[in-house]
Every structure is written in C-alpha cells, then in structure tokens.
Amino acid sequence: MIFDDDSDLLEVCSIVLRSKNYVVAGFHKCNDILKEVKLFSPHVILMDNWIPDTGGVKATRQIKDDLSLRSIPVIFFSANDRVQDLANEAGAEYFLQKPFEIEDLENVVSKAIAAQHPAGISEIR
C-alpha cells in the first residue's frame, strides 16, 4: 500500500512493485487511512511525509495506535533530509530517502516483508 501525493512517483513505485509480483494499492491522500488500510489489509505500507490531509507522521501514528494494524511495517519516505528522524517520530520501522534508486525501493520492501513474514506468504499485499 502506497500513500504519496506525487502521482508520477506513485505510478513508478506501483509499476516497480507489481513487476515483482506485489499487489499494490496507491492513494494520493490519507483522509480515511484507517478504513483504507483495514479494507486492503497490506503486508507493508509506504508512507510519504507530505501526504495531504493529515501528513505522513500523523497518519503513521494513527496506524501504529490501532491494535489491529500496528504490526504492519511502515516504510516512511521523504525528500526531507531528516527522513530518519521523521520515521522515528512517526513510529515507522523503515525509511527511504527521496530520491531513491529502484533497487533501494525493492530492497527495503523486501526486507520489511521478510522481517514480518519470515516463512513467506503466497500473495504479497
């Protein structure tokens, strides 16, 4: 699940992850984030810092405060040079500095899923 207001980046990330056989849902805003996450039930979330409505830090905190969602790994990504600090503030387990290489995206998503599901899963969402 990807939350990013940059439609070009959202499309590129979706294409890259789908090419790796991930099921991807992308959103340009996060006004109903808990509802959306519960409906899609993702194995990992990519969260932009500047996502409209609530912002990435607050949106990630909402996810981490929900008992049924808190175990979903969140990869916080931003062009902000304090992305690691923002990820820590939000409660995200991983971060990715924009701009990033496609390989870095693939690696961090793979790492997040492997840490959460070490035995593997049949369909990656």
Side-chain angles (χ1 to χ4, degrees):
M1 201 167 195
I2 306 170
F3 291 91
D4 196 324
D5 63 328
D6 181 333
S7 38
D8 292 335
L9 185 60
L10 184 60
E11 184 176 346
V12 168
C13 290
S14 297
I15 290 168
V16 167
L17 295 175
R18 285 186 182 117
S19 77
K20 296 293 183 182
N21 296 319
Y22 294 113
V23 176
V24 179
F27 299 86
H28 297 284
K29 56 186 176 177
C30 61
N31 55 344
D32 288 326
I33 190 154
L34 296 180
K35 178 183 172 188
E36 298 295 343
V37 173
K38 287 177 183 178
L39 284 172
F40 190 69
S41 190
H43 289 106
V44 66
I45 296 169
L46 285 116
M47 179 65 68
D48 177 42
N49 182 48
W50 298 109
I51 189 77
D53 298 323
T54 59
V57 170
K58 186 175 178 184
T60 301
R61 282 187 187 155
Q62 288 175 357
I63 292 166
K64 296 302 179 180
D65 287 343
D66 188 299
L67 291 175
S68 66
L69 304 176
R70 70 170 35 152
S71 66
I72 301 169
V74 175
I75 302 164
F76 202 83
F77 65 147
S78 176
N80 188 304
D81 60 355
R82 293 184 43 247
V83 65
Q84 185 173 5
D85 294 336
L86 292 168
N88 290 338
E89 181 184 338
E93 291 84 357
Y94 304 91
F95 69 93
L96 191 58
Q97 178 76 48
K98 291 179 184 177
F100 50 82
E101 298 295 324
I102 298 299
E103 185 176 296
D104 294 333
L105 172 66
E106 294 170 346
N107 289 339
V108 73
V109 169
S110 192
K111 181 179 176 181
I113 290 172
Q116 189 68 19
H117 303 281
I121 49 180
S122 60
E123 182 180 78
I124 303 170
R125 298 169 67 86

